[in-house]
């Protein structure tokens, strides 16, 4: 049976890193006879340039028909001054929302080979393995009313709405508790319940969900403290579950603990397990086109896609172990390079992963 994979390269370094991930996917397809049917589509700035919209109808149709989606990254200065309703980021938010990809899994794992690349001391991060579960289709990112309006005194005011319904909180809570069950059995729910009503309810519902998981331990932490604890003693966490905006911020911080945000994959899942997979980092327009971006987060996202949406865990394991092999060999893109390593380009890194995969 064939499985339809839609690849959305996006903007900036997106096309470069996705090219490498696609090579790795095709190599895995050949090795394991996966029956992948790969198609491509436009999202973000590249879609604005060709279709005048960041998430065109054609991409939407392909996305709905696909079994899984692999995305590079969207956005860049070229589209910074465009009307805000059609900015590239709107395309990303649009596809997340239309496909109801509410469950965003962002694992922060420190590869032992990269302990020196972390900005924290090796003993603080060695063995680090955290999973951030971020709610992705609600909260302040999507709450209405929103906008920029003129007040009576002629001054302008920007406003957004932070809201979560019980069912939205419950379903992301279930994702977190189910994940914790497969890991170390601990969930830390991050909120700002000392100030924000929306997160008072969040905390209440998390307590309710916890009742169905007596084997999982639930704790709560305010987001400011969580940010501090992530850089002070990150290994205290197993699964962290939080809303859209806090998750956006904390996952960048967690990413950096691992040495580089260029190492972090992510999965965004709907209720049935269909998903979109993307690196946690952005489109990095400052280094686009130079062949120096790290493709590993995207390659690892492709592995997550095989595991979570396509039920091909042997191939996923093989890709992850190939990444391990190239790191063992000392191959490093610029973002994870320290003295004594072998510096490689984006495509050399991709080729090395393909080679390690074939050699298994
Ligand atoms: C992310 C990104 C996006 C977000 C942007 C590009 C809209 O930062 O996936 O973390 O804020 O969700
Ligand atoms: Mg972000």
């Amino acid at each position: 049976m064939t499985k339809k994979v839609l690849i959305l390269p996006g903007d900036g370094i997106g096309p470069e890193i996705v090219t490498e991930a696609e090579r790795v996917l095709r190599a895995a397809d050949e090795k394991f006879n996966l029956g992948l049917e790969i198609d491509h589509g436009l999202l973000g700035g590249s879609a604005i340039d060709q279709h005048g919209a960041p998430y065109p109808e054609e991409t939407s149709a392909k996305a709905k028909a696909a079994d899984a989606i692999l995305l590079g990254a969207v956005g860049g200065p070229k589209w910074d001054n465009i009307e805000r309703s059609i900015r590239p980021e709107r395309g990303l938010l649009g596809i997340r929302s239309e496909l109801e990809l509410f469950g965003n899994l962002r694992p922060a794992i420190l590869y032992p080979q990269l302990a020196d690349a972390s900005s924290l001391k090796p003993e603080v991060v060695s063995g680090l393995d955290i999973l951030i579960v971020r709610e992705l289709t609600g909260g302040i990112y999507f709450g209405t009313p929103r906008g920029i309006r003129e007040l009576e005194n002629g001054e302008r005011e920007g406003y957004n709405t932070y809201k979560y319904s019980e069912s939205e909180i419950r379903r992301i809570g279930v994702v977190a508790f189910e994940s914790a069950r497969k890991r170390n059995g601990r969930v830390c729910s991050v909120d700002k319940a000392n100030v924000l009503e929306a997160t008072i309810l969040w905390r209440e519902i998390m307590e309710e969900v916890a009742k169905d998981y007596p084997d999982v331990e639930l704790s709560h932490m305010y987001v400011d403290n969580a940010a501090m604890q992530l850089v002070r003693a990150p290994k205290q966490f197993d699964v962290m579950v939080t809303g859209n905006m806090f998750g956006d911020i904390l996952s960048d911080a967690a990413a950096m603990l691992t040495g580089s945000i260029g190492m972090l994959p992510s999965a965004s899942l709907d209720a049935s397990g269909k998903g979109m997979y993307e690196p946690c980092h952005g489109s990095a327009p400052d280094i686009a086109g130079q062949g120096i971006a790290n493709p590993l987060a995207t390659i690892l996202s492709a592995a997550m896609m095989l595991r979570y949406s396509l039920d091909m865990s042997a191939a996923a394991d093989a890709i992850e172990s190939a990444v391990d092999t190239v790191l063992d060999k000392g191959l490093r893109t610029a973002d994870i390079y320290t003295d004594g390593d072998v510096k490689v380009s984006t495509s050399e890194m991709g080729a090395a992963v393909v080679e390690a995969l074939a050699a298994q």
Side-chain angles (χ1 to χ4, degrees):
M1 218 181 75
T2 64
K3 291 279 185 187
K4 286 200 174 95
V5 172
L6 176 64
I7 295 188
L8 303 171
D11 314 313
I13 58 169
E16 298 162 56
I17 53 178
V18 147
T19 299
E20 301 314 315
E22 181 172 345
R23 282 167 72 184
V24 173
L25 265 184
R26 289 193 187 275
D29 190 10
E30 199 168 298
K31 188 179 173 78
F32 293 89
N33 224 337
L34 303 175
L36 301 181
E37 197 180 288
I38 298 178
D39 192 9
H40 297 87
L42 294 168
L43 186 76
S46 55
I48 297 172
D49 289 349
Q50 283 204 31
H51 295 279
Y55 181 39
E57 188 43 50
E58 191 187 312
T59 304
S60 161
K62 285 184 177 184
K64 286 181 197 149
D67 295 299
I69 301 162
L70 182 69
L71 168 67
V74 299
K78 178 173 177 199
W79 305 280
D80 267 356
N81 297 321
I82 217 159
E83 200 234 309
R84 68 175 188 275
S85 68
I86 60 158
R87 281 181 60 106
E89 290 80 359
R90 283 300 160 120
L92 180 58
L93 299 178
I95 189 169
R96 285 175 179 170
S97 169
E98 186 181 56
L99 301 181
E100 285 194 79
L101 306 171
F102 67 90
N104 185 209
L105 310 181
R106 300 191 159 188
I109 296 171
L110 182 89
Y111 282 82
Q113 302 95 321
L114 299 184
D116 287 340
S118 174
S119 48
L120 297 193
K121 298 193 193 89
E123 65 267 25
V124 176
V125 290
S126 72
L128 182 83
D129 181 358
I130 306 177
L131 178 66
I132 297 189
V133 176
R134 169 187 177 195
E135 200 290 328
L136 202 59
T137 53
I140 198 165
Y141 269 50
F142 291 93
T144 50
R146 64 188 293 163
I148 298 173
R149 61 191 163 202
E150 196 166 323
L151 300 174
E152 270 169 22
N153 66 6
E155 194 189 13
R156 287 181 310 151
E157 173 184 74
Y159 60 102
N160 291 87
T161 303
Y162 190 157
K163 59 182 168 190
Y164 269 118
S165 69
E166 294 186 73
S167 58
E168 283 175 315
I169 303 169
R170 192 167 289 112
R171 66 181 183 176
I172 194 69
V174 167
V175 171
F177 279 85
E178 289 289 335
S179 306
R181 230 176 213 174
K182 295 184 202 134
R183 297 170 44 96
N184 294 315
R186 288 182 293 119
V187 170
C188 177
S189 169
V190 176
D191 62 39
K192 191 71 186 173
N194 50 346
V195 179
L196 304 174
E197 284 80 358
T199 72
I200 294 177
L201 183 67
W202 176 281
R203 193 176 273 225
E204 217 176 90
I205 302 297
M206 285 297 158
E207 287 288 342
E208 270 180 43
V209 176
K211 293 198 180 103
D212 293 333
Y213 297 85
D215 51 321
V216 176
E217 179 194 310
L218 172 66
S219 60
H220 303 278
M221 199 178 273
Y222 296 141
V223 63
D224 49 349
N225 187 24
M228 180 175 78
Q229 296 300 333
L230 264 180
V231 291
R232 192 188 75 87
K235 283 190 273 182
Q236 69 185 283
F237 297 111
D238 178 22
V239 174
M240 299 177 93
V241 62
T242 191
N244 209 339
M245 181 168 62
F246 296 162
D248 179 44
I249 299 166
L250 294 179
S251 61
D252 266 29
M256 216 42 226
L257 302 176
T258 71
S260 168
I261 195 166
M263 294 298 299
L264 252 79
S266 79
S268 308
L269 304 172
D270 75 1
S272 72
K274 171 167 167 170
M276 180 162 80
Y277 297 79
E278 50 178 309
C280 286
H281 60 72
S283 60
D286 52 324
I287 59 162
Q290 297 176 29
I292 59 170
N294 185 347
L296 291 179
T298 317
I299 291 171
L300 292 167
S301 298
M304 278 185 105
M305 173 176 84
L306 297 177
R307 176 170 299 116
Y308 286 99
S309 288
L310 303 179
D311 207 12
M312 299 169 177
S313 55
D317 290 345
I319 292 176
E320 284 164 1
S321 127
V323 168
D324 219 43
T325 305
V326 303
L327 292 176
D328 277 344
K329 286 187 185 152
L331 303 190
R332 306 281 187 271
T333 41
D335 56 313
I336 49 175
Y337 175 85
T338 47
D339 272 349
D341 295 332
V342 185
K343 198 181 265 184
V344 295
S345 68
T346 309
S347 62
E348 284 164 347
M349 185 61 107
V353 176
V354 167
E355 194 187 311
L357 186 64
Q360 277 171 22

